[in-house]
Amino acid sequence: MPLHNDLYRRQDGVDVERSSKGNAKTTADRRLRFSSTSTAKPAAATFTPVILPDSRSSSSSSSSTSAEPTSIVSAPVPPSTLPRPFDTGLGNNYTQDSCPSFINKFLRNETFTSCLPFSLLLQNSMSFFSVTKSYSTITSTLDTACKSVGSTCNPLMASLAVQLRQDENCAADYRREQPLVVAAYNGLIAYEPLYKAGCARDPDEGKYCFANAITNISSPTDSYPYYLPLGIPLPGGSQPSCTDCLRGTMKIFNEAASNEKQQPLLDTLPAAAQMINVACGPGFANQTVPNAGQNSGTSLGINPRLGALAVFISSVAVVLV
């Protein structure tokens, strides 16, 4: 089951405005207001969920009729039904038993679970794939993920990424590029940029940019840029809509790549920005990325359409060996 199978996308009757190719809004008052906070050391980062004001509200602070940010009304997701990373299992194709034990241990950690890491759900969760079929359920899931405490979750993910590559845990399997281990590592170090991008909202209606992208059946490649921090390149021929959401998302990713040498974005962002600029116009996305191509990590090179499915197949395959 492809991660972005159009037959399973629906918007539950919610109409989503999209900008057409070549007609992206470029005026300053309609651009996304993304958090620009970035640090070289993930442990020092803090987060505030991005809630954008209605771009059509009055600029006068004294007016009592100024529009407030649009809120999305959705039923809360019970903790028991929240998606989980690696919910199809970890398989058994490991050099050392300590590796799956380490991964299972942090997956069961209460603090880790409370963070609901979007970066680890995006590629490695079939239950997350299920919630993306509905605009209301993906919105509810993002509501929960964006309430996580960045000052706790970001240092935790950074620490787990370091521990994963230690000899007593998954170093041997990481060096041989075991797919699930690489996916876990990339998801951990991509927590910060994907938290910011996943929690960003569009300027007109205050809806989550990712929810708009993943449920936009008229432009199925809109969600593909979100996979760049996971080491998955933008497939050739992709034409994501030239919206303020796309512009702001690429800005977040550029800042992350410029400040952290371990990010898979160093390998995937330059080519993606160039491709997007061909469709959206020169300068739409910043193509300049310091240290581009010098990522010391590992990129998977999986088509976004096959992201969760590819990891799932890998898990099943190694069980059958």
Side-chain angles (χ1 to χ4, degrees), residues 47-122:
F47 301 105
T48 300
V50 182
I51 302 176
L52 300 176
D54 190 328
S55 63
R56 292 162 291 192
S57 63
S58 172
S59 60
S60 172
S61 60
S62 62
S63 173
S64 60
T65 60
S66 294
E68 296 296 328
T70 303
S71 59
I72 305 301
V73 178
S74 54
V77 181
S80 60
T81 62
L82 288 170
R84 297 176 295 109
F86 300 107
D87 50 4
T88 59
L90 298 177
N92 59 5
N93 186 23
Y94 297 89
T95 301
Q96 51 193 127
D97 293 339
S98 60
C99 184
S101 296
F102 169 75
I103 296 175
N104 274 318
K105 183 177 179 179
F106 75 69
L107 288 176
R108 292 192 298 266
N109 178 271
E110 185 176 343
T111 304
F112 175 89
T113 303
S114 68
C115 291
L116 195 64
F118 176 63
S119 57
L120 280 161
L121 295 171
L122 189 58

Side-chain angles (χ1 to χ4, degrees), residues 250-251 254 258 269-270 273 277 283-289:
M250 294 298 288
K251 181 180 179 181
N254 185 274
S258 299
L269 189 61
N277 284 344
F284 185 90
N286 188 352
Q287 294 180 220
T288 304
V289 181

Side-chain angles (χ1 to χ4, degrees), residues 262-276:
Q262 298 293 322
Q263 289 290 341
L265 281 165
L266 292 172
D267 296 329
T268 60
L269 189 61
Q274 183 178 18
M275 191 183 306
I276 288 172

Side-chain angles (χ1 to χ4, degrees), residues 224-297:
Y224 287 10
Y226 290 89
Y227 292 81
L228 295 174
L230 301 175
I232 301 177
L234 194 64
S238 299
Q239 294 184 334
S241 302
C242 302
T243 62
D244 289 333
C245 276
L246 177 61
R247 187 195 303 275
T249 297
M250 294 298 288
K251 181 180 179 181
I252 289 174
F253 293 164
N254 185 274
E255 291 173 349
S258 299
N259 289 288
E260 177 55 62
K261 294 182 179 180
Q262 298 293 322
Q263 289 290 341
L265 281 165
L266 292 172
D267 296 329
T268 60
L269 189 61
Q274 183 178 18
M275 191 183 306
I276 288 172
N277 284 344
V278 170
C280 300
F284 185 90
N286 188 352
Q287 294 180 220
T288 304
V289 181
N291 303 312
Q294 298 182 28
N295 170 37
S296 61

